[in-house]
Amino acid sequence: MDFLESPEMKIVAIGVTVVVVAASASCLFSTKKKSRVCLDPENFKEFKLVKRTQISHNVAKFTFALPSPTSVLGLPIGQHISCRGKDSQGEEVIKPYTPTTLDSDVGRFELVIKMYPQGRMSHHFREMRVGDYLAVKGPKGRFRYQPGEVAAFGMLAGGSGITPMFQVARAILENPKDKTKVQLIYANVTYEDILLKEELDGLAENYPDRFSIYYVLNQPPEGWKGGVGFVSKEMIQEHCPAPSSDIRILRCGPPPMNKAMAAHLEELGYSSGMQFQF
């Protein structure tokens, strides 16, 4: 067995040991990373409401705790979750929502919810109190994004349709390696209806060369300097990237708005491959 004592065999033995240790560490890291992901695409899991912040008379931000301070929700950019609750009649209801947080926001996730008087899931959120649990399943959605896959995104959002746009914009802008530009048109009825305005204005201030936002109101207050009425072809031409193979237009809003935007985009020369509707 003297050959095991040779310098050459010692080097081989050390090399094998290093490979085994590295492989074990990689496996352990991968397992730990996977174990931190909380979402299950097949089964609902419950998360505790730890904070509720009322933003307006019918809008609130709900903060839910994840199992540990280092846990992540595990939601890919631009995808959503299914939330389960009960309506005013006690019947089960399931509705999709997009968190405004990213996986970089460890230990928690947040939902900004607009609660409509007759909304079935709105009733469930309206009745939720700190300490209650929300059943969630996911991820869900067809949207897929890789940093740098397009030069620019144009975004057409209406009402609560801003949440997936905000999530995508945040992910792009907060990634220092992603140089994609984002141009957003956000439509609402009144000024009070604008969701996430402080956060959106913060993105515009922090990333002036990569993010722009144009607000449109159907019933603007006196002295309003943004767009007025409905989103028009002219607004899209002025505030979104021009048709090109390296741009993409994202749409999310009420059905009538989505239909009108699709017609505008077609008339302006945006092909179906340049568009995506959440």
PDB file of all heavy atoms in Angstrom, residues 139-170:
ATOM      1  N   PRO A 139     -47.089  29.418  -7.647  1.00  0.00           N
ATOM      2  CA  PRO A 139     -47.417  30.563  -8.510  1.00  0.00           C
ATOM      3  C   PRO A 139     -48.342  30.196  -9.669  1.00  0.00           C
ATOM      4  O   PRO A 139     -48.435  29.045 -10.069  1.00  0.00           O
ATOM      5  CB  PRO A 139     -46.039  30.999  -9.024  1.00  0.00           C
ATOM      6  CG  PRO A 139     -45.223  29.748  -8.995  1.00  0.00           C
ATOM      7  CD  PRO A 139     -45.693  28.963  -7.825  1.00  0.00           C
ATOM      8  N   LYS A 140     -48.999  31.235 -10.200  1.00  0.00           N
ATOM      9  CA  LYS A 140     -49.888  31.103 -11.336  1.00  0.00           C
ATOM     10  C   LYS A 140     -49.510  32.154 -12.383  1.00  0.00           C
ATOM     11  O   LYS A 140     -48.959  33.198 -12.055  1.00  0.00           O
ATOM     12  CB  LYS A 140     -51.341  31.325 -10.924  1.00  0.00           C
ATOM     13  CG  LYS A 140     -51.826  30.441  -9.783  1.00  0.00           C
ATOM     14  CD  LYS A 140     -52.065  29.028 -10.238  1.00  0.00           C
ATOM     15  CE  LYS A 140     -52.652  28.183  -9.105  1.00  0.00           C
ATOM     16  NZ  LYS A 140     -52.926  26.796  -9.532  1.00  0.00           N
ATOM     17  N   GLY A 141     -49.838  31.883 -13.647  1.00  0.00           N
ATOM     18  CA  GLY A 141     -49.629  32.892 -14.676  1.00  0.00           C
ATOM     19  C   GLY A 141     -48.776  32.426 -15.833  1.00  0.00           C
ATOM     20  O   GLY A 141     -47.969  31.504 -15.705  1.00  0.00           O
ATOM     21  N   ARG A 142     -48.949  33.108 -16.974  1.00  0.00           N
ATOM     22  CA  ARG A 142     -48.243  32.756 -18.201  1.00  0.00           C
ATOM     23  C   ARG A 142     -47.015  33.623 -18.452  1.00  0.00           C
ATOM     24  O   ARG A 142     -46.212  33.329 -19.317  1.00  0.00           O
ATOM     25  CB  ARG A 142     -49.198  32.904 -19.407  1.00  0.00           C
ATOM     26  CG  ARG A 142     -50.418  31.995 -19.355  1.00  0.00           C
ATOM     27  CD  ARG A 142     -51.378  32.299 -20.507  1.00  0.00           C
ATOM     28  NE  ARG A 142     -51.969  33.624 -20.380  1.00  0.00           N
ATOM     29  CZ  ARG A 142     -51.717  34.637 -21.194  1.00  0.00           C
ATOM     30  NH1 ARG A 142     -50.857  34.503 -22.189  1.00  0.00           N
ATOM     31  NH2 ARG A 142     -52.309  35.810 -21.008  1.00  0.00           N
ATOM     32  N   PHE A 143     -46.871  34.713 -17.703  1.00  0.00           N
ATOM     33  CA  PHE A 143     -45.799  35.660 -17.973  1.00  0.00           C
ATOM     34  C   PHE A 143     -44.447  35.083 -17.574  1.00  0.00           C
ATOM     35  O   PHE A 143     -44.296  34.513 -16.485  1.00  0.00           O
ATOM     36  CB  PHE A 143     -46.039  36.965 -17.208  1.00  0.00           C
ATOM     37  CG  PHE A 143     -45.064  38.067 -17.542  1.00  0.00           C
ATOM     38  CD1 PHE A 143     -45.224  38.839 -18.675  1.00  0.00           C
ATOM     39  CD2 PHE A 143     -43.987  38.330 -16.703  1.00  0.00           C
ATOM     40  CE1 PHE A 143     -44.326  39.866 -18.976  1.00  0.00           C
ATOM     41  CE2 PHE A 143     -43.088  39.354 -16.994  1.00  0.00           C
ATOM     42  CZ  PHE A 143     -43.270  40.120 -18.134  1.00  0.00           C
ATOM     43  N   ARG A 144     -43.491  35.211 -18.466  1.00  0.00           N
ATOM     44  CA  ARG A 144     -42.120  34.776 -18.195  1.00  0.00           C
ATOM     45  C   ARG A 144     -41.176  35.922 -18.556  1.00  0.00           C
ATOM     46  O   ARG A 144     -41.346  36.564 -19.589  1.00  0.00           O
ATOM     47  CB  ARG A 144     -41.747  33.544 -19.020  1.00  0.00           C
ATOM     48  CG  ARG A 144     -42.604  32.318 -18.747  1.00  0.00           C
ATOM     49  CD  ARG A 144     -42.321  31.698 -17.384  1.00  0.00           C
ATOM     50  NE  ARG A 144     -43.050  30.444 -17.185  1.00  0.00           N
ATOM     51  CZ  ARG A 144     -44.298  30.363 -16.758  1.00  0.00           C
ATOM     52  NH1 ARG A 144     -44.969  31.469 -16.484  1.00  0.00           N
ATOM     53  NH2 ARG A 144     -44.886  29.190 -16.580  1.00  0.00           N
ATOM     54  N   TYR A 145     -40.196  36.173 -17.708  1.00  0.00           N
ATOM     55  CA  TYR A 145     -39.260  37.263 -18.001  1.00  0.00           C
ATOM     56  C   TYR A 145     -37.840  36.898 -17.628  1.00  0.00           C
ATOM     57  O   TYR A 145     -37.584  36.371 -16.549  1.00  0.00           O
ATOM     58  CB  TYR A 145     -39.662  38.545 -17.256  1.00  0.00           C
ATOM     59  CG  TYR A 145     -38.688  39.679 -17.481  1.00  0.00           C
ATOM     60  CD1 TYR A 145     -38.565  40.257 -18.747  1.00  0.00           C
ATOM     61  CD2 TYR A 145     -37.853  40.127 -16.456  1.00  0.00           C
ATOM     62  CE1 TYR A 145     -37.642  41.266 -18.979  1.00  0.00           C
ATOM     63  CE2 TYR A 145     -36.933  41.141 -16.688  1.00  0.00           C
ATOM     64  CZ  TYR A 145     -36.833  41.704 -17.951  1.00  0.00           C
ATOM     65  OH  TYR A 145     -35.909  42.695 -18.185  1.00  0.00           O
ATOM     66  N   GLN A 146     -36.936  37.200 -18.537  1.00  0.00           N
ATOM     67  CA  GLN A 146     -35.506  37.092 -18.285  1.00  0.00           C
ATOM     68  C   GLN A 146     -34.893  38.473 -18.446  1.00  0.00           C
ATOM     69  O   GLN A 146     -35.171  39.159 -19.434  1.00  0.00           O
ATOM     70  CB  GLN A 146     -34.851  36.111 -19.266  1.00  0.00           C
ATOM     71  CG  GLN A 146     -35.276  34.672 -19.075  1.00  0.00           C
ATOM     72  CD  GLN A 146     -34.844  34.112 -17.729  1.00  0.00           C
ATOM     73  OE1 GLN A 146     -33.781  34.448 -17.209  1.00  0.00           O
ATOM     74  NE2 GLN A 146     -35.675  33.252 -17.147  1.00  0.00           N
ATOM     75  N   PRO A 147     -34.084  38.935 -17.502  1.00  0.00           N
ATOM     76  CA  PRO A 147     -33.483  40.272 -17.601  1.00  0.00           C
ATOM     77  C   PRO A 147     -32.824  40.512 -18.946  1.00  0.00           C
ATOM     78  O   PRO A 147     -32.062  39.670 -19.431  1.00  0.00           O
ATOM     79  CB  PRO A 147     -32.452  40.280 -16.466  1.00  0.00           C
ATOM     80  CG  PRO A 147     -33.010  39.324 -15.465  1.00  0.00           C
ATOM     81  CD  PRO A 147     -33.664  38.236 -16.270  1.00  0.00           C
ATOM     82  N   GLY A 148     -33.162  41.649 -19.541  1.00  0.00           N
ATOM     83  CA  GLY A 148     -32.547  42.037 -20.798  1.00  0.00           C
ATOM     84  C   GLY A 148     -33.154  41.418 -22.040  1.00  0.00           C
ATOM     85  O   GLY A 148     -32.641  41.619 -23.142  1.00  0.00           O
ATOM     86  N   GLU A 149     -34.278  40.704 -21.908  1.00  0.00           N
ATOM     87  CA  GLU A 149     -34.846  40.050 -23.090  1.00  0.00           C
ATOM     88  C   GLU A 149     -35.482  41.047 -24.057  1.00  0.00           C
ATOM     89  O   GLU A 149     -35.672  40.750 -25.228  1.00  0.00           O
ATOM     90  CB  GLU A 149     -35.864  38.985 -22.694  1.00  0.00           C
ATOM     91  CG  GLU A 149     -37.166  39.501 -22.114  1.00  0.00           C
ATOM     92  CD  GLU A 149     -38.144  38.379 -21.794  1.00  0.00           C
ATOM     93  OE1 GLU A 149     -37.695  37.330 -21.283  1.00  0.00           O
ATOM     94  OE2 GLU A 149     -39.340  38.552 -22.059  1.00  0.00           O
ATOM     95  N   VAL A 150     -35.826  42.243 -23.556  1.00  0.00           N
ATOM     96  CA  VAL A 150     -36.306  43.320 -24.419  1.00  0.00           C
ATOM     97  C   VAL A 150     -35.583  44.603 -24.033  1.00  0.00           C
ATOM     98  O   VAL A 150     -35.051  44.723 -22.929  1.00  0.00           O
ATOM     99  CB  VAL A 150     -37.836  43.524 -24.304  1.00  0.00           C
ATOM    100  CG1 VAL A 150     -38.597  42.316 -24.827  1.00  0.00           C
ATOM    101  CG2 VAL A 150     -38.250  43.840 -22.879  1.00  0.00           C
ATOM    102  N   ALA A 151     -35.593  45.565 -24.952  1.00  0.00           N
ATOM    103  CA  ALA A 151     -34.954  46.851 -24.660  1.00  0.00           C
ATOM    104  C   ALA A 151     -35.851  47.720 -23.786  1.00  0.00           C
ATOM    105  O   ALA A 151     -35.369  48.516 -22.978  1.00  0.00           O
ATOM    106  CB  ALA A 151     -34.619  47.578 -25.960  1.00  0.00           C
ATOM    107  N   ALA A 152     -37.177  47.566 -23.968  1.00  0.00           N
ATOM    108  CA  ALA A 152     -38.106  48.412 -23.219  1.00  0.00           C
ATOM    109  C   ALA A 152     -39.470  47.749 -23.097  1.00  0.00           C
ATOM    110  O   ALA A 152     -39.894  46.992 -23.974  1.00  0.00           O
ATOM    111  CB  ALA A 152     -38.245  49.770 -23.895  1.00  0.00           C
ATOM    112  N   PHE A 153     -40.120  48.056 -21.979  1.00  0.00           N
ATOM    113  CA  PHE A 153     -41.511  47.664 -21.776  1.00  0.00           C
ATOM    114  C   PHE A 153     -42.380  48.915 -21.805  1.00  0.00           C
ATOM    115  O   PHE A 153     -42.053  49.923 -21.174  1.00  0.00           O
ATOM    116  CB  PHE A 153     -41.707  46.992 -20.417  1.00  0.00           C
ATOM    117  CG  PHE A 153     -41.386  45.527 -20.388  1.00  0.00           C
ATOM    118  CD1 PHE A 153     -40.308  45.064 -19.654  1.00  0.00           C
ATOM    119  CD2 PHE A 153     -42.167  44.604 -21.072  1.00  0.00           C
ATOM    120  CE1 PHE A 153     -40.013  43.710 -19.606  1.00  0.00           C
ATOM    121  CE2 PHE A 153     -41.873  43.248 -21.038  1.00  0.00           C
ATOM    122  CZ  PHE A 153     -40.792  42.800 -20.305  1.00  0.00           C
ATOM    123  N   GLY A 154     -43.497  48.835 -22.510  1.00  0.00           N
ATOM    124  CA  GLY A 154     -44.558  49.810 -22.373  1.00  0.00           C
ATOM    125  C   GLY A 154     -45.626  49.148 -21.524  1.00  0.00           C
ATOM    126  O   GLY A 154     -45.890  47.958 -21.686  1.00  0.00           O
ATOM    127  N   MET A 155     -46.226  49.902 -20.607  1.00  0.00           N
ATOM    128  CA  MET A 155     -47.230  49.313 -19.727  1.00  0.00           C
ATOM    129  C   MET A 155     -48.501  50.155 -19.756  1.00  0.00           C
ATOM    130  O   MET A 155     -48.445  51.375 -19.607  1.00  0.00           O
ATOM    131  CB  MET A 155     -46.711  49.225 -18.288  1.00  0.00           C
ATOM    132  CG  MET A 155     -45.509  48.315 -18.112  1.00  0.00           C
ATOM    133  SD  MET A 155     -44.969  48.277 -16.368  1.00  0.00           S
ATOM    134  CE  MET A 155     -43.738  46.968 -16.418  1.00  0.00           C
ATOM    135  N   LEU A 156     -49.638  49.485 -19.938  1.00  0.00           N
ATOM    136  CA  LEU A 156     -50.941  50.140 -19.932  1.00  0.00           C
ATOM    137  C   LEU A 156     -51.758  49.526 -18.805  1.00  0.00           C
ATOM    138  O   LEU A 156     -52.194  48.379 -18.894  1.00  0.00           O
ATOM    139  CB  LEU A 156     -51.651  49.940 -21.273  1.00  0.00           C
ATOM    140  CG  LEU A 156     -50.878  50.406 -22.520  1.00  0.00           C
ATOM    141  CD1 LEU A 156     -51.615  50.003 -23.788  1.00  0.00           C
ATOM    142  CD2 LEU A 156     -50.673  51.920 -22.479  1.00  0.00           C
ATOM    143  N   ALA A 157     -51.947  50.288 -17.720  1.00  0.00           N
ATOM    144  CA  ALA A 157     -52.617  49.756 -16.536  1.00  0.00           C
ATOM    145  C   ALA A 157     -53.831  50.591 -16.178  1.00  0.00           C
ATOM    146  O   ALA A 157     -53.858  51.811 -16.382  1.00  0.00           O
ATOM    147  CB  ALA A 157     -51.656  49.725 -15.357  1.00  0.00           C
ATOM    148  N   GLY A 158     -54.843  49.923 -15.631  1.00  0.00           N
ATOM    149  CA  GLY A 158     -56.029  50.613 -15.156  1.00  0.00           C
ATOM    150  C   GLY A 158     -56.437  50.091 -13.798  1.00  0.00           C
ATOM    151  O   GLY A 158     -56.471  48.871 -13.574  1.00  0.00           O
ATOM    152  N   GLY A 159     -56.700  50.973 -12.842  1.00  0.00           N
ATOM    153  CA  GLY A 159     -57.166  50.570 -11.529  1.00  0.00           C
ATOM    154  C   GLY A 159     -56.210  49.627 -10.813  1.00  0.00           C
ATOM    155  O   GLY A 159     -55.003  49.853 -10.755  1.00  0.00           O
ATOM    156  N   SER A 160     -56.753  48.519 -10.296  1.00  0.00           N
ATOM    157  CA  SER A 160     -55.933  47.556  -9.563  1.00  0.00           C
ATOM    158  C   SER A 160     -55.033  46.743 -10.483  1.00  0.00           C
ATOM    159  O   SER A 160     -54.205  45.966 -10.004  1.00  0.00           O
ATOM    160  CB  SER A 160     -56.826  46.617  -8.741  1.00  0.00           C
ATOM    161  OG  SER A 160     -57.772  45.961  -9.574  1.00  0.00           O
ATOM    162  N   GLY A 161     -55.159  46.956 -11.803  1.00  0.00           N
ATOM    163  CA  GLY A 161     -54.261  46.311 -12.758  1.00  0.00           C
ATOM    164  C   GLY A 161     -52.836  46.826 -12.657  1.00  0.00           C
ATOM    165  O   GLY A 161     -51.946  46.337 -13.355  1.00  0.00           O
ATOM    166  N   ILE A 162     -52.603  47.771 -11.758  1.00  0.00           N
ATOM    167  CA  ILE A 162     -51.251  48.301 -11.579  1.00  0.00           C
ATOM    168  C   ILE A 162     -50.355  47.315 -10.840  1.00  0.00           C
ATOM    169  O   ILE A 162     -49.123  47.378 -10.966  1.00  0.00           O
ATOM    170  CB  ILE A 162     -51.301  49.647 -10.804  1.00  0.00           C
ATOM    171  CG1 ILE A 162     -49.936  50.345 -10.815  1.00  0.00           C
ATOM    172  CG2 ILE A 162     -51.779  49.430  -9.377  1.00  0.00           C
ATOM    173  CD1 ILE A 162     -49.426  50.720 -12.178  1.00  0.00           C
ATOM    174  N   THR A 163     -50.925  46.393 -10.062  1.00  0.00           N
ATOM    175  CA  THR A 163     -50.080  45.569  -9.197  1.00  0.00           C
ATOM    176  C   THR A 163     -49.082  44.683  -9.958  1.00  0.00           C
ATOM    177  O   THR A 163     -47.913  44.645  -9.575  1.00  0.00           O
ATOM    178  CB  THR A 163     -50.918  44.733  -8.206  1.00  0.00           C
ATOM    179  OG1 THR A 163     -51.902  43.991  -8.922  1.00  0.00           O
ATOM    180  CG2 THR A 163     -51.597  45.650  -7.195  1.00  0.00           C
ATOM    181  N   PRO A 164     -49.483  43.973 -11.022  1.00  0.00           N
ATOM    182  CA  PRO A 164     -48.437  43.215 -11.739  1.00  0.00           C
ATOM    183  C   PRO A 164     -47.425  44.115 -12.423  1.00  0.00           C
ATOM    184  O   PRO A 164     -46.238  43.770 -12.528  1.00  0.00           O
ATOM    185  CB  PRO A 164     -49.228  42.381 -12.750  1.00  0.00           C
ATOM    186  CG  PRO A 164     -50.526  43.086 -12.911  1.00  0.00           C
ATOM    187  CD  PRO A 164     -50.810  43.709 -11.586  1.00  0.00           C
ATOM    188  N   MET A 165     -47.860  45.285 -12.879  1.00  0.00           N
ATOM    189  CA  MET A 165     -46.939  46.226 -13.522  1.00  0.00           C
ATOM    190  C   MET A 165     -45.895  46.716 -12.517  1.00  0.00           C
ATOM    191  O   MET A 165     -44.694  46.800 -12.828  1.00  0.00           O
ATOM    192  CB  MET A 165     -47.708  47.429 -14.081  1.00  0.00           C
ATOM    193  CG  MET A 165     -48.841  47.083 -15.014  1.00  0.00           C
ATOM    194  SD  MET A 165     -48.267  46.224 -16.511  1.00  0.00           S
ATOM    195  CE  MET A 165     -49.770  46.290 -17.486  1.00  0.00           C
ATOM    196  N   PHE A 166     -46.366  47.050 -11.315  1.00  0.00           N
ATOM    197  CA  PHE A 166     -45.456  47.529 -10.273  1.00  0.00           C
ATOM    198  C   PHE A 166     -44.446  46.450  -9.908  1.00  0.00           C
ATOM    199  O   PHE A 166     -43.256  46.729  -9.743  1.00  0.00           O
ATOM    200  CB  PHE A 166     -46.255  47.957  -9.039  1.00  0.00           C
ATOM    201  CG  PHE A 166     -45.411  48.413  -7.883  1.00  0.00           C
ATOM    202  CD1 PHE A 166     -44.738  49.618  -7.937  1.00  0.00           C
ATOM    203  CD2 PHE A 166     -45.277  47.628  -6.744  1.00  0.00           C
ATOM    204  CE1 PHE A 166     -43.945  50.047  -6.874  1.00  0.00           C
ATOM    205  CE2 PHE A 166     -44.489  48.041  -5.678  1.00  0.00           C
ATOM    206  CZ  PHE A 166     -43.829  49.251  -5.746  1.00  0.00           C
ATOM    207  N   GLN A 167     -44.922  45.221  -9.808  1.00  0.00           N
ATOM    208  CA  GLN A 167     -44.025  44.114  -9.462  1.00  0.00           C
ATOM    209  C   GLN A 167     -42.932  43.934 -10.521  1.00  0.00           C
ATOM    210  O   GLN A 167     -41.751  43.798 -10.204  1.00  0.00           O
ATOM    211  CB  GLN A 167     -44.836  42.825  -9.322  1.00  0.00           C
ATOM    212  CG  GLN A 167     -44.019  41.631  -8.861  1.00  0.00           C
ATOM    213  CD  GLN A 167     -44.615  40.323  -9.323  1.00  0.00           C
ATOM    214  OE1 GLN A 167     -44.681  40.054 -10.516  1.00  0.00           O
ATOM    215  NE2 GLN A 167     -45.053  39.508  -8.378  1.00  0.00           N
ATOM    216  N   VAL A 168     -43.333  43.939 -11.797  1.00  0.00           N
ATOM    217  CA  VAL A 168     -42.369  43.776 -12.891  1.00  0.00           C
ATOM    218  C   VAL A 168     -41.403  44.958 -12.936  1.00  0.00           C
ATOM    219  O   VAL A 168     -40.183  44.781 -13.066  1.00  0.00           O
ATOM    220  CB  VAL A 168     -43.100  43.629 -14.247  1.00  0.00           C
ATOM    221  CG1 VAL A 168     -42.103  43.649 -15.404  1.00  0.00           C
ATOM    222  CG2 VAL A 168     -43.903  42.336 -14.281  1.00  0.00           C
ATOM    223  N   ALA A 169     -41.940  46.177 -12.827  1.00  0.00           N
ATOM    224  CA  ALA A 169     -41.092  47.370 -12.880  1.00  0.00           C
ATOM    225  C   ALA A 169     -40.066  47.366 -11.751  1.00  0.00           C
ATOM    226  O   ALA A 169     -38.885  47.656 -11.971  1.00  0.00           O
ATOM    227  CB  ALA A 169     -41.954  48.628 -12.808  1.00  0.00           C
ATOM    228  N   ARG A 170     -40.496  47.035 -10.544  1.00  0.00           N
ATOM    229  CA  ARG A 170     -39.575  46.973  -9.406  1.00  0.00           C
ATOM    230  C   ARG A 170     -38.449  45.980  -9.645  1.00  0.00           C
ATOM    231  O   ARG A 170     -37.274  46.269  -9.399  1.00  0.00           O
ATOM    232  CB  ARG A 170     -40.339  46.553  -8.142  1.00  0.00           C
ATOM    233  CG  ARG A 170     -40.631  47.662  -7.168  1.00  0.00           C
ATOM    234  CD  ARG A 170     -40.952  47.075  -5.802  1.00  0.00           C
ATOM    235  NE  ARG A 170     -39.753  46.591  -5.114  1.00  0.00           N
ATOM    236  CZ  ARG A 170     -39.769  45.874  -4.003  1.00  0.00           C
ATOM    237  NH1 ARG A 170     -40.921  45.525  -3.450  1.00  0.00           N
ATOM    238  NH2 ARG A 170     -38.641  45.480  -3.428  1.00  0.00           N
TER     239      ARG A 170
END
